[in-house]
Amino acid sequence: MKNIKALGLLLLAAVIGLGAAVYAAGWVSQQGSIASNKVVVAVSDIELGSKINPQMLSTIDWPSGSVPAGAFKEIKDVQDRVVRVGVLRGEAILEGKLAPIGTQGGLSAVIAEGKRAMTVRVNDVVGVAGFALPGNYVDVVVNAQQDKSKGEEGKQISKTVLEHVLVLAVAQESGRDDTKPKVVSAVTLELSLGDAEKLDLARSVGTLSLVLRNQVDQLTVDTAGITKNQLFGEQVEPVALPTKVAAAKPRIAHSRPVVASASECVEVIQNGSRALNCF
């Protein structure tokens, strides 16, 4: 009797173990199906403007419920595409990070639509001691001599001519991951066509300075600039502007007989005629 009871317990344990194994296998299979989607990721850091090759990429399983929008499933879909922003190792390759199909590599691939790239010469002072790096935003200030007015000398003035301008590259480097200051001799800015014309005129009439601004500050402030007299608080005498005087109507002088006092006049009678002579 005892042997039969023990055998029954062993059989029950075997059934429970078998059920647990089947359940575990099903759970593992279910978990595997959740992460079955393939996503293309970078296996090394890719700098902006670089053309993608297969050696830079790999595919990994990504949870189906959290696949980012614009992700690719196969490496061949992104081969020879150009990245518009830097991509870090392990990061998914997304359509929004790529330049249009057919774009060649280089700085031109990262210029926004409708914008232009323009380079200006700088030094350690103009270039904000090398802190104006790719990806930063700057304002452009020009110091120039104003045109001379009539009767006045041209005034020296400093004025902000451009605001919130994106730095595309410093010297020949366009990477945006470095935060170490770099003193260079040239900075490339991203501008609209109209702003490019302003900048070209500004650098031809005066000296330029770059003013580094907070990356998230997008407010613009319209200033009138400042002259040397305003800087030192000198009082400027107001210049009297010529007033327009209405033309006076010509007056016609009407002759009137002059009546002199009796003490200065003499009555002369000659040949029967009388005349009054006044002195």
Side-chain angles (χ1 to χ4, degrees):
M1 179 68 75
K2 292 182 179 180
N3 292 335
I4 296 175
K5 189 175 181 179
L7 185 60
L9 291 176
L10 290 175
L11 183 60
L12 179 61
V15 172
I16 293 174
L18 181 60
V22 172
Y23 176 79
W27 183 84
V28 171
S29 176
Q30 184 180 7
Q31 292 300 113
S33 64
I34 294 176
S36 61
N37 290 343
K38 296 291 185 180
V39 172
V40 178
V41 298
V43 296
S44 61
D45 295 344
I46 305 176
E47 295 185 0
L48 77 167
S50 300
K51 182 175 288 189
I52 298 176
N53 59 58
Q55 289 72 30
M56 300 176 177
L57 307 173
S58 180
T59 58
I60 64 172
D61 292 330
W62 201 287
S64 59
S66 60
V67 174
F72 295 89
K73 296 181 179 180
E74 298 184 13
I75 294 178
K76 64 181 181 63
D77 295 334
V78 294
Q79 185 174 349
D80 295 332
R81 296 287 297 273
V82 176
V83 293
R84 296 180 56 183
V85 296
V87 179
L88 300 179
R89 183 179 62 180
E91 190 175 352
I93 306 297
L94 306 179
E95 180 64 38
K97 298 179 180 180
L98 304 179
I101 297 176
T103 303
Q104 299 298 316
L107 185 63
S108 62
V110 305
I111 301 174
E113 185 177 356
K115 298 288 187 176
R116 307 290 189 272
M118 188 172 185
T119 302
V120 293
R121 289 189 175 277
V122 297
N123 52 35
D124 56 343
V125 175
V126 176
V128 202
F131 283 99
L133 299 171
N136 294 156
Y137 288 88
V138 296
D139 296 338
V140 180
V141 178
V142 61
N143 181 280
Q145 191 87 9
Q146 288 181 310
D147 292 337
K148 296 182 179 180
S149 302
K150 293 182 179 179
E152 296 183 6
E153 294 184 359
K155 297 179 180 178
Q156 196 80 11
I157 186 172
S158 287
K159 180 172 173 56
T160 301
V161 292
L162 296 174
E163 293 186 71
H164 202 258
V165 179
L166 175 64
V167 178
L168 287 177
V170 293
Q172 284 78 39
E173 299 182 12
S174 57
R176 302 184 183 183
D177 298 327
D178 196 0
T179 58
K180 185 178 179 181
K182 297 179 181 179
V183 178
V184 295
S185 60
V187 171
T188 302
L189 307 176
E190 184 183 72
L191 303 164
S192 66
L193 186 58
D195 288 344
E197 294 172 345
K198 288 182 182 179
L199 182 59
D200 184 63
L201 179 61
R203 68 181 179 181
S204 67
V205 299
T207 57
L208 300 179
S209 295
L210 302 183
V211 182
L212 188 64
R213 63 184 297 155
N214 190 305
Q215 294 189 23
V216 298
D217 180 12
Q218 299 184 5
L219 296 178
T220 58
V221 181
D222 187 15
T223 65
I226 185 169
T227 63
K228 186 168 66 174
N229 291 336
Q230 295 171 333
L231 178 64
F232 294 108
E234 298 178 3
Q235 298 294 331
V236 181
E237 294 293 334
V239 179
L241 298 176
T243 56
K244 190 174 182 179
V245 180
K249 295 182 179 180
R251 296 183 179 180
I252 301 175
H254 298 281
S255 59
R256 295 182 180 179
V258 180
V259 180
S261 60
S263 59
E264 298 175 350
C265 298
V266 177
E267 184 178 8
V268 179
I269 300 175
Q270 185 178 5
N271 298 327
S273 61
R274 304 174 66 180
L276 184 63
N277 295 331
C278 297
F279 303 93

